[in-house]
Amino acid sequence: MLKRWLSLSMIVVMTTLLWAASASVAAAKEVTIEYWQYYYESKVKLMTDLIKQFEQQNPGIRVEQKTFPYEQFNQKVAISVPAGTGPDVVNLYYGWVPKYVDGGYLQPLPADAFPASTIQKEFLPMVEAAKLNGQYWGLPTAVRALALFWNKDLFKEAGLDPNAPPQTWEQLQEYAIKLTKRDKNDQLVQEGYAWNADGQDNHVFIQVLLRQWGVTPFSPDNKQVLWNSKPGGYEAFQWWTDLAVKHRVGDPTFMGDYRTAFITGKAAMMIDGSFALGTLRDKAKNINWGVTTLPVRAANPSVRANVGSFWMNALTVNAKDEKRDAAIKFLRFLTSPEVMKVWMEKVGELPARSALTEDPALQKDPIYGPFLAGLKYAHATFFVDETSERQAIIDATNEVRLQGTNPKVALDRLVASEQKIRDEYFSNR
């Protein structure tokens, strides 16, 4: 009896040990990676859902999403990654690539998992902006182009055709003047155009206005800033700043920011990206708005231009061994056609894969169509330091707006500032 009892006990012990060992192996195989992006409500909500889907498809991989305010994001990355903490996969603006590469935060995409020939064949040409020193450093889920949004009710109220947005910059200026309202104390109460330099308008100046005024913004090697190389550069800068200074159709501080002014019905027009569509659907439900392609210059109508940009997902140097394998799987998932379709539906940004943008039904869509049309002639700016370069434009426009500096003088100073940034970067290469 005792012998039988001992045998049974041994079986129970062995079974328990085997179960424990099995559980231990399973636990050891589980990999957790961190994903970082700045906080943008619609993107964060969707990413939470996508992570659940990815984890179901990839048992043993967990993804922890962490978000930070936009203003703190780069600083968090700069502190964490060199210390060996922080993200394995990071979402960054393509214009930050030189800075992130110089900082040693990223590792290039492995060529076996993301062949260059496949990227060039399947993704939109602007994705080349994710390439530096002959290597790709990340890939986007979606890309962006700009378009003109207008408030149909405010157009009707001002005696304008609510279904006929401006087609030229000259019309935009004329309509914006009509649509601007001030109170008896000359305080702005309604913007005809949500003028800004810190939003999308600085990109419009570089890649749209300059080109339509006959100026190629940069030398082919991106080393020279050519904004004041021709009279058209000065004319474009003056036309842009005149909207705020001479015609007073908008103010960058009105309602906090340009998009809030439009969403609250206090701005009749704004230029924004397709990424704003999700926000407008959620927060501008009472606004009767439309969207159309960016205007052209009446004197030069055949020259169309737009701004291409994107946020991309990249592998940081923290992703090593099994975490690197998991991060690569996650990056493949985020750049799959299936995720791109959901991303467009939920966030509003356009697919980064060429085949998806060529869908005839999508091109005819009254909302997405203008953005897709813009992609065909969009230019992505090569930034050395996007934050500093953008700030230089804001400073130059503030000189004109707040200090009365002659736009020609301000543009010359601006070009000198921008050139200094590029000279410092390229002098070491």
Side-chain angles (χ1 to χ4, degrees), residues 5 11 51 161 164 170 176 187 197 218 253 301 327 346 356 396 403 423:
W5 184 85
I11 291 171
I51 286 173
D161 185 342
E170 290 78 2
Q187 294 297 308
F218 303 99
T253 62
K346 301 291 185 183
L356 296 178
Q403 300 170 27
D423 288 346

Side-chain angles (χ1 to χ4, degrees), residues 72-359:
Q72 299 175 13
F73 190 77
N74 282 332
Q75 184 183 25
K76 293 284 186 184
V77 172
I79 293 172
S80 301
V81 175
T85 59
D88 301 289
V89 180
V90 64
N91 186 250
L92 70 146
Y93 187 60
Y94 84 96
W96 300 345
V97 170
K99 202 168 183 178
Y100 273 50
V101 171
D102 279 3
Y105 311 149
L106 304 182
Q107 56 178 299
L109 294 185
D112 55 344
F114 301 96
S117 58
T118 302
I119 294 173
Q120 290 161 1
K121 179 182 177 183
E122 298 183 1
F123 284 75
L124 290 166
M126 75 167 73
V127 176
E128 283 294 288
K131 199 174 181 182
L132 187 68
N133 303 329
Q135 295 175 299
Y136 286 97
W137 296 86
L139 283 175
T141 298
V143 297
R144 303 164 157 191
L146 301 180
L148 177 69
F149 292 77
W150 84 99
N151 183 316
K152 297 182 180 182
D153 289 339
L154 295 185
F155 265 54
K156 188 175 181 180
E157 186 181 292
L160 297 169
D161 185 342
N163 297 309
Q167 300 300 304
T168 66
W169 294 114
E170 290 78 2
Q171 283 179 337
L172 182 142
Q173 177 183 299
E174 176 191 341
Y175 293 2
I177 293 171
K178 281 185 180 177
L179 288 156
T180 301
K181 290 183 178 178
R182 292 180 180 273
D183 65 14
K184 61 183 180 181
N185 297 317
D186 200 34
Q187 294 297 308
L188 188 64
V189 295
Q190 178 178 299
E191 291 182 311
Y193 174 75
W195 192 95
N196 65 82
D198 60 345
Q200 303 307 315
D201 282 13
N202 68 84
H203 301 297
V204 173
F205 167 66
I206 296 171
Q207 293 294 0
V208 181
L209 297 183
L210 283 172
R211 291 180 185 279
Q212 293 178 340
W213 261 260
V215 179
T216 301
F218 303 99
S219 59
D221 59 7
N222 289 310
K223 293 181 178 178
Q224 298 296 315
V225 181
L226 304 176
W227 305 352
N228 60 350
S229 62
K230 294 181 179 178
Y234 293 106
E235 293 168 12
F237 189 69
Q238 171 131 21
W239 184 88
W240 178 39
T241 53
D242 271 357
L243 281 178
V245 178
K246 181 180 178 182
H247 304 300
R248 304 169 70 207
V249 302
D251 186 297
T253 62
F254 183 65
M255 302 299 292
D257 65 84
Y258 73 100
R259 191 179 298 150
T260 300
F262 188 83
I263 286 173
T264 55
K266 297 296 183 183
M269 294 183 282
M270 71 167 180
I271 289 177
D272 211 340
S274 45
F275 48 90
L277 292 174
T279 304
L280 260 67
R281 285 173 179 143
D282 286 344
K283 298 183 178 178
K285 293 177 180 175
N286 297 323
I287 304 295
N288 184 18
W289 55 271
V291 58
T292 188
T293 52
L294 293 185
V296 295
R297 191 180 175 207
N300 201 12
S302 63
V303 179
R304 288 195 169 274
N306 205 303
V307 179
S309 66
F310 54 89
W311 285 74
M312 60 186 229
N313 295 302
L315 308 176
T316 74
V317 292
N318 287 344
K320 299 173 182 174
D321 303 323
E322 68 273 13
K323 291 180 75 174
R324 181 175 180 271
D325 295 339
I328 289 172
K329 284 185 178 179
F330 189 51
L331 186 52
R332 278 178 167 160
F333 170 78
L334 292 180
T335 54
S336 66
E338 293 74 20
V339 169
M340 288 184 184
K341 290 177 183 176
V342 177
W343 197 271
M344 184 178 67
E345 180 185 340
K346 301 291 185 183
V347 178
E349 291 182 319
L350 308 173
R353 289 180 178 269
S354 304
L356 296 178
T357 66
E358 292 166 1
D359 181 344

